[in-house]
């Protein structure tokens, strides 16, 4: 079970949250000019890194707000949680003393 | 745009049935007395108004004047003003809880909003209220609530949205007894009441060493 710190409610069980996929995927500005390949890349293609990954979460049984989480996909360690209007934090010393 | 409003005062109020009316006798029979006492009861038809407004706006100032209390700004905080209690739901969302029959709250809040961005909607029928009290009340809740309810972390005047068993509730501790009020959605109230009755049953017997 992950322990995720909601920016508004504090640390809560993973079961209180809803997962929302990769964060920081900007909506294309020139939608009229996009080719099918570019649309597909925007709609379907997501990063699948090994290591720190920025993703969206929603605190469903709490404040019902979306926010972003930096999570290590190898260790499942939650590295940071930040609001949507905050920039992605510079990576803290990931993984402790690894 | 004006939303449709229901004038509860003029409606057939006497005909309404609370979500847990059919379990009233079972909840009363499940009460435990003594050192490990715990009681469960429904408080039906409490007036609840969902309030949304930007916390740093002038409209929020006007609403605080109307309510006579500052809006809580942090998770878990509540504020009391007369018969109203303000519970924090989100950074720009509150629940104003008033005794049954306080049908003018939503209208007063809407007047205070004065067309600014925000909303004040009567959601009394959305949730019902369960009151769980007695010396063993915290132990009953701890069987299914992931939050730390120990007095070092939680106490009277705190209210948070969480889960009890699988049911999402707004959990509010009223006093030191301890007395808790749980606000589940009406459609989950039957399940939650039966879950609590089951969880209470072991406190009839003396504590095992």
């Amino acid at each position: 079970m992950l322990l995720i710190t909601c920016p508004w409610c504090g640390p809560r069980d993973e079961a209180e949250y809803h997962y929302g996929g990769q964060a920081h995927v900007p909506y294309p500005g020139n939608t009229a000019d996009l080719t099918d390949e570019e649309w597909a890349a925007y709609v379907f293609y997501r990063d699948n890194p090994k290591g720190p990954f920025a993703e969206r979460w929603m605190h469903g049984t709490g404040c019902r707000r979306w926010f972003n989480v930096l999570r290590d996909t190898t260790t499942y360690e939650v590295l940071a949680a930040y609001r949507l209007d905050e920039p992605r934090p510079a990576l803290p010393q990931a993984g402790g003393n690894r | 745009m004006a939303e449709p409003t229901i004038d509860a005062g003029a409606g057939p109020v006497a005909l309404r049935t609370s979500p847990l009316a059919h379990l009233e006798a079972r909840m009363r029979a499940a009460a435990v007395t003594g050192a490990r006492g715990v009681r469960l009861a429904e408080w039906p038809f409490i007036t609840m108004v969902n309030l949304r407004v930007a916390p740093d706006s002038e409209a929020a100032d006007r609403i605080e004047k109307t309510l006579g209390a500052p809006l809580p700004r942090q998770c878990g905080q509540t504020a009391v003003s007369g018969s109203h209690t303000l519970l924090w739901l989100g950074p720009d969302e509150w629940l104003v809880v008033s005794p049954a029959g306080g049908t003018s709250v939503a209208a007063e809040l809407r007047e205070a909003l004065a067309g600014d961005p925000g909303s004040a909607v009567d959601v009394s029928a959305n949730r019902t209220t369960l009151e769980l009290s007695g010396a063993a009340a915290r132990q009953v809740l701890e069987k299914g609530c992931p939050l730390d309810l120990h007095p070092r972390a939680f106490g009277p005047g705190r209210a948070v949205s969480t889960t009890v068993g699988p049911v999402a509730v707004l959990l509010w501790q009223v006093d030191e007894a301890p007395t808790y009020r749980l606000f589940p959605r009406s459609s989950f109230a039957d399940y939650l009441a039966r879950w609590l009755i089951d969880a209470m049953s072991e406190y009839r017997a003396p504590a095992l060493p």
Side-chain angles (χ1 to χ4, degrees):
Chain A
M1 180 82 75
L2 295 178
L3 187 65
I4 300 172
T5 302
C6 167
W8 285 280
C9 301
R12 300 287 183 94
D13 266 1
E14 171 192 357
E16 294 200 3
Y17 296 93
H18 185 77
Y19 183 68
Q22 183 179 351
H24 307 296
V25 180
Y27 190 75
N30 54 336
T31 50
D33 308 327
L34 289 192
T35 63
D36 284 357
E37 285 74 18
E38 285 166 329
W39 269 120
Y42 165 69
V43 174
F44 301 114
Y45 284 65
R46 293 291 179 266
D47 298 339
N48 186 20
K50 183 178 179 184
F53 186 43
E55 52 199 13
R56 298 184 303 161
W57 287 81
M58 194 267 284
H59 193 186
T61 59
C63 58
R64 301 190 296 134
R65 295 306 186 276
W66 286 94
F67 60 98
N68 294 333
V69 168
L70 264 183
R71 181 178 64 92
D72 191 310
T73 56
T74 323
T75 62
Y76 281 68
E77 184 185 0
V78 176
L79 303 167
Y82 53 104
R83 300 198 317 240
L84 294 181
D85 57 354
E86 292 172 336
R88 175 178 167 151
L91 200 60
Q93 195 63 41
N97 54 6
R98 271 187 308 132
Chain B
M1 206 170 102
E3 62 177 299
T5 52
I6 301 162
D7 186 1
V13 169
L15 294 176
R16 63 188 175 177
T17 308
S18 75
L20 292 175
H22 61 295
L23 287 179
E24 193 191 340
R26 285 189 60 176
M27 288 193 284
R28 207 172 326 119
V32 180
T33 52
R36 300 211 299 164
V38 58
R39 289 173 307 283
L40 180 66
E42 186 193 16
W43 284 47
F45 311 129
I46 283 184
T47 303
M48 296 178 226
V49 175
N50 185 288
L51 171 68
R52 294 203 66 169
V53 65
D56 51 359
S57 63
E58 286 178 23
D61 293 342
R62 292 197 298 272
I63 282 170
E64 288 178 339
K65 281 201 190 77
T66 304
L67 289 168
L71 296 167
R73 301 301 164 105
Q74 268 191 340
C75 178
Q77 289 183 347
T78 63
V80 182
S81 166
S83 60
H84 305 307
T85 305
L86 286 69
L87 312 180
W88 186 96
L89 290 182
D92 59 358
E93 190 170 7
W94 295 269
L95 192 70
V96 184
V97 179
S98 319
T103 47
S104 62
V105 188
E108 285 168 18
L109 291 176
R110 251 196 305 272
E111 199 174 307
L113 267 178
D116 282 358
S119 69
V121 183
D122 191 313
V123 292
S124 306
N126 185 19
R127 297 180 172 98
T128 190
T129 310
L130 275 163
E131 188 168 281
L132 185 75
S133 59
R138 178 158 65 89
Q139 285 166 277
V140 171
L141 284 180
E142 281 171 346
K143 293 182 184 191
C145 181
L147 274 183
D148 186 3
L149 298 178
H150 190 276
R152 70 173 165 249
F154 202 75
R158 309 255 313 153
V160 288
S161 304
T162 182
T163 50
V164 172
V167 180
V169 299
L170 180 58
L171 177 68
W172 171 24
Q173 182 171 350
V174 183
D175 62 30
E176 301 265 8
T179 303
Y180 298 95
R181 289 193 188 140
L182 292 82
F183 300 86
R185 303 283 157 126
S186 292
S187 50
F188 294 110
D190 174 88
Y191 180 89
L192 181 65
R194 290 173 196 271
W195 190 96
L196 288 169
I197 288 170
D198 180 49
M200 287 159 64
S201 63
E202 78 163 87
Y203 297 97
R204 259 174 217 298
L208 292 173

